[in-house]
Structures are given as structure tokens and as C-alpha cells.
Amino acid sequence: QSALTQPASVSGSPGQSITISCTGTSSDVGNYNLVSWYQQHPGKAPKLMIYEVSKRPSGVSNRFSGSKSGNTASLTISGLQAEDEADYYCCSYAGSGAFVVFGGGTKLTVL
Amino acid sequence: QVQLVESGGGVVQPGRSLSLSCAASGFTFSTCAMHWVRQAPGKGLEWVALIWYDGSNKYYADSVKGRFTISRDNSKNTLYLQMNSLRAEDTAVYYCARDRGRYGNTLPDYWGQGTLVTVSS
């Protein structure tokens, strides 16, 4: 059950856009449109930001968007705000063997 | 609103057992698969286990297979995690999380606040 690969950190200035990548394999990200993204502030529980690659739950800002190409999923945050500073995790369904796999997490710093 | 409240965490010696509970409210518990996910101090999220909406199928991460058992009581709206033969590397905050569907493949949406398990002599 190998973790999905995310960059350890990304940064951007307020108002800018950033993209976080999440690279898996043809057994997980590449084989299912079942990728979710979570935001986690320090000491808090994760919060769902994107599900099924590109769908936003009710109440999540439309500044957050998701996409996928091949074995790599991506989370884009536009119009960066200070409150977006957090850790972000991708997650994919990986079939009935491994079932669920997470990325290692990306720390977003808003400069 | 959806609420998930974990309990049962604490300090336990290596090799001993501990049982976690997760009380669910605000949704129809019996129609949702449920996950346990853990996070070691300063580390990322690690999926631990999944149980289908009716308890008929269970799945585990390799790191806990044979030591941990996930179960649920739909009459009590409660999810459980029995942890045996605990190791130092099991030290983590344990979260219960609701899946968006019945079978766990649609991944978690709502999460509890977590309960800390510390394995230390």
C-alpha cells in the first residue's frame, strides 16, 4: 500500500493561484475517478474540499478546483487567501486490495 | 448536522490492547460505510480500516492486519476499533470518518475530532 506522491510544500502570495499534484499509479488514481482532497489546519480534523476528482461539497469555496490526467490528480487554489494556509492531502480508492491510499501531504504557505 | 465523536484513547504499554469507539449522529448511520484513519505525531494521514454499511465486509491496511478489528453496531450508531498487540508505531491520533456511500470506495467526507493513542512503556 504505497502512498500517493505529493510535493512536501508549496507557497504563494495572496491573490495568486497554486496547484498541488498527487501522483499515483494505474491501480489507484489512474484507474478510478475516486480521488478526494482534504484540508487540515493544525490540531484540527481534515475537511473534505474535493471529491470524485473535481466535485466540490456544498459550502466549499469555488476557488478550489480539482482535475486528473492519467495517474496524476491536481488541486488548484485560486485567489489565495491567508486562511488557505494548511496541509492538503489527496486520497484515492485503490481497489479491493489496498482499498484506500493517501498522499503524504503538502504544506501550503501563504506568503 | 453530522457528528462523529471518538473516545477510548489513552496511554497503553506495548503488546497490550485498547478499544476505540465512535458515536455517530445527524445522519442515517446504517446506510454509510465507515473508516478509521490515523495520524502519527507530525506525520500524514494513514488509512487503517473500513467496514461496509451493514458490517458484512471489512478491509484493513497491511500495517494493522491481524492485530486490529473494525466493527459496528447499527442499533447504537457506533463504530469500534479493537486494537491488539499494540506497538510504538501505532501511536497516533485516530479519526473515524464517514464514507459518502455504502461500500467505502467513495471515500470519507465527514471526520471526527480524533482520539490520541500513545503506546509507550
Side-chain angles (χ1 to χ4, degrees):
Chain A
Q1 292 162 335
S2 301
L4 307 175
T5 300
Q6 298 180 233
S9 63
V10 299
S11 62
S13 299
Q16 288 186 331
S17 295
I18 62 94
T19 296
I20 300 172
S21 62
C22 169
T23 301
T25 70
S26 57
S27 296
D28 38 63
V29 174
N31 200 33
Y32 307 98
N33 287 325
L34 293 167
V35 176
S36 293
W37 288 91
Y38 302 93
Q39 176 192 67
Q40 187 180 36
H41 286 108
K44 301 295 187 181
K47 175 187 176 183
L48 178 66
M49 306 303 284
I50 296 288
Y51 67 97
E52 291 178 10
V53 175
S54 60
K55 298 178 181 178
R56 266 181 294 106
S58 173
V60 171
S61 170
N62 59 9
R63 298 185 298 105
F64 291 83
S65 62
S67 63
K68 190 184 86 166
S69 178
N71 296 337
T72 298
S74 298
L75 173 71
T76 297
I77 309 173
S78 60
L80 269 179
Q81 299 179 0
E83 69 213 47
D84 300 331
E85 186 163 292
D87 294 325
Y88 291 84
Y89 294 91
C90 62
C91 178
S92 175
Y93 174 62
S96 58
F99 219 95
V100 175
V101 62
F102 280 94
T106 297
K107 181 176 181 60
L108 169 63
T109 300
V110 180
L111 301 170
Chain B
Q1 73 281 23
V2 174
Q3 273 203 307
L4 299 167
V5 180
E6 302 93 337
S7 60
V11 180
V12 60
Q13 293 180 329
R16 303 297 289 262
S17 300
L18 198 64
S19 180
L20 305 183
S21 298
C22 171
S25 61
F27 66 102
T28 306
F29 181 71
S30 61
T31 65
C32 295
M34 296 294 296
H35 302 261
W36 285 102
V37 178
R38 68 185 181 184
Q39 186 169 35
K43 303 296 185 182
L45 300 172
E46 180 189 13
W47 177 76
V48 172
L50 159 76
I51 186 167
W52 279 14
Y53 71 104
D54 59 357
S56 61
N57 278 283
K58 306 170 186 182
Y59 300 87
Y60 300 92
D62 287 345
S63 58
V64 306
K65 203 171 293 182
R67 301 187 299 122
F68 289 12
T69 301
I70 188 172
S71 61
R72 64 190 297 160
D73 185 336
N74 285 346
S75 68
K76 295 182 178 179
N77 290 347
T78 302
L79 175 72
Y80 304 98
L81 186 67
Q82 176 65 40
M83 304 184 293
N84 298 332
S85 303
L86 282 161
R87 307 166 179 167
E89 54 264 36
D90 295 319
T91 294
V93 173
Y94 285 74
Y95 295 101
C96 72
R98 185 188 82 163
D99 195 274
R100 295 189 308 103
R102 293 175 180 259
Y103 305 107
N105 57 337
T106 39
L107 305 178
D109 54 3
Y110 288 95
W111 299 61
Q113 286 304 305
T115 187
L116 176 61
V117 173
T118 303
V119 183
S120 173
S121 53

